[in-house]
């Protein structure tokens, strides 16, 4: 398995992804390298070669044994806004099979050459071009931009609505309302996403799983394990085993 982590996304190439029924704050793009994938959306089962799913849409993925590309995009990012233009009001959209074939062919031909942040940046930019996105600003409210930057810059294990509200001079309820209004995602759910990303980065930088879970702000290692399984479709130990990880901290 290969996992690439940037500020606004996680890109996973794996044949061990098997996610139970869940929702999360990512915009999720899933592509099958061979044949079709089996997915259930809001209780409706379907088969397709590629699909884009908006954040907060309940879904289940049966991908064990099938090589897949899973792109999990921060729902507050400009790239997520671009995918939402294509998804529309339905909450998801199937991607054209010919486009999926072109993208997966590109990924298979080039991912082995990714060695550092620079080569990944080039790879990712070409990948986005193949998706033919019209990338646009996700939101304009400066308070939401400031909040997201505070999360990205954090260095401790505390991640509470109240803490961020105090830093921005707002009440917790007001900040939560603004965040939901501008992003479509609950602030508490986005904080969980932030903690998950932080824990994954720590683990792949050599921090023991238990220490990474606590440093990222989870109540316990078991809480982190359950969150990882729910949001990524893989337990932390499964992610780490026989995996290649690259954190791309400078990608925008």
């Amino acid at each position: 398995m290969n996992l690439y982590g940037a500020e606004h996304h996680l890109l996973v190439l794996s044949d061990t992804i098997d996610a139970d029924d869940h929702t999360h704050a990512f915009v999720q793009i899933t592509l099958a390298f061979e044949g079709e994938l089996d997915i259930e959306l809001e209780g409706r089962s379907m088969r397709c070669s590629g699909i884009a799913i908006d954040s907060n849409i309940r879904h289940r993925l049966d991908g064990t044994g099938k090589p897949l590309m899973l792109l999990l995009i921060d729902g507050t990012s400009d790239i997520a806004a671009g995918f939402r233009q294509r998804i529309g009001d339905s909450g998801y959209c199937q991607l054209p099979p010919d486009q999926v074939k072109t993208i997966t062919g590109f990924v298979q031909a080039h991912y082995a050459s990714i060695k550092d942040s620079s080569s990944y940046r080039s790879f990712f930019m070409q990948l986005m071009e193949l998706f033919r996105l019209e990338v646009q600003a996700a939101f304009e409210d400066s308070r939401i931009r400031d909040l997201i930057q505070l999360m990205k810059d954090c260095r401790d294990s505390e991640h509470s609505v109240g803490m961020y509200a105090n830093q921005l001079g707002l009440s917790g309820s007001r900040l939560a309302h603004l965040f939901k209004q501008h992003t479509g995602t609950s602030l508490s759910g986005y904080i969980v996403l932030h903690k998950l990303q932080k824990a994954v980065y720590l683990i792949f930088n050599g921090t023991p799983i238990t220490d990474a879970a606590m440093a990222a702000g989870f109540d316990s290692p078991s809480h982190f394990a359950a969150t990882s399984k729910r949001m990524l479709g893989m337990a932390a130990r499964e992610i780490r085993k026989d995996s290649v990880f690259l954190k791309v901290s400078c990608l925008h």
Side-chain angles (χ1 to χ4, degrees):
M1 184 189 77
N2 290 60
L3 191 152
Y4 307 94
E7 280 188 331
H8 52 49
H9 72 268
L10 294 171
L11 175 63
V12 184
L13 307 176
S14 177
D15 59 3
T16 61
I17 300 172
D18 185 21
D20 294 332
D21 192 43
H22 68 290
T23 63
H24 52 56
F26 292 111
V27 170
Q28 177 175 317
I29 315 301
T30 311
L31 307 181
F33 285 103
E34 301 171 2
E36 296 183 319
L37 55 90
D38 296 300
I39 194 162
E40 184 176 294
L41 293 164
E42 302 288 7
R44 177 188 175 192
S45 297
M46 63 179 65
R47 290 175 60 86
C48 59
S49 57
I51 193 166
I53 307 171
D54 205 349
S55 55
N56 305 312
I57 298 296
R58 184 165 296 280
H59 60 282
R60 181 184 63 81
L61 175 66
D62 180 8
T64 301
K66 304 173 184 177
L68 300 176
M69 185 187 92
L70 185 66
L71 178 58
L72 299 168
I73 307 165
D74 183 336
T76 66
S77 69
D78 294 352
I79 293 175
F83 274 109
R84 286 196 176 105
Q85 283 288 101
R86 180 170 301 176
I87 291 171
D89 296 331
S90 65
Y92 67 91
C93 70
Q94 295 186 29
L95 301 176
D98 58 339
Q99 185 181 39
V100 172
K101 184 176 180 179
T102 297
I103 293 172
T104 54
F106 166 78
V107 172
Q108 288 177 311
H110 293 90
Y111 82 90
S113 64
I114 299 171
K115 305 298 181 184
D116 52 25
S117 293
S118 179
S119 58
Y120 182 76
R121 185 185 304 109
S122 176
F123 168 85
F124 189 77
M125 290 176 64
Q126 292 179 74
L127 183 63
M128 290 301 99
E129 289 177 2
L130 292 174
F131 275 112
R132 300 192 291 273
L133 291 183
E134 295 182 9
V135 177
Q136 56 183 268
F139 43 77
E140 298 180 355
D141 194 306
S142 62
R143 294 167 294 185
I144 303 303
R145 292 198 300 269
D146 291 344
L147 169 62
I148 293 170
Q149 193 61 51
L150 283 172
M151 290 189 186
K152 290 178 179 178
D153 294 340
C154 79
R155 295 293 182 269
D156 55 41
S157 61
E158 183 181 355
H159 310 285
S160 68
V161 174
M163 180 190 75
Y164 291 120
N166 287 336
Q167 290 177 301
L168 294 169
L170 297 169
S171 69
S173 59
R174 178 59 177 163
L175 181 61
H177 173 76
L178 285 171
F179 192 86
K180 178 70 173 180
Q181 178 184 13
H182 286 281
T183 70
T185 298
S186 72
L187 180 53
S188 59
Y190 186 77
I191 289 174
V192 172
L193 166 62
H194 169 68
K195 293 193 294 186
L196 177 66
Q197 289 175 311
K198 184 173 182 178
V200 169
Y201 295 161
L202 288 170
I203 288 170
F204 280 102
N205 282 326
T207 303
I209 292 175
T210 296
D211 295 342
M214 303 309 291
F218 286 96
D219 297 333
S220 65
S222 61
H223 181 206
F224 166 58
T227 301
S228 176
K229 178 64 176 176
R230 176 172 60 85
M231 297 181 73
L232 297 180
M234 296 169 285
R237 287 178 175 81
E238 293 173 328
I239 297 172
R240 193 170 190 175
K241 182 180 180 183
D242 299 327
S243 299
V244 174
F245 175 75
L246 175 65
K247 181 178 180 182
V248 190
S249 59
C250 59
L251 183 66
H252 298 286

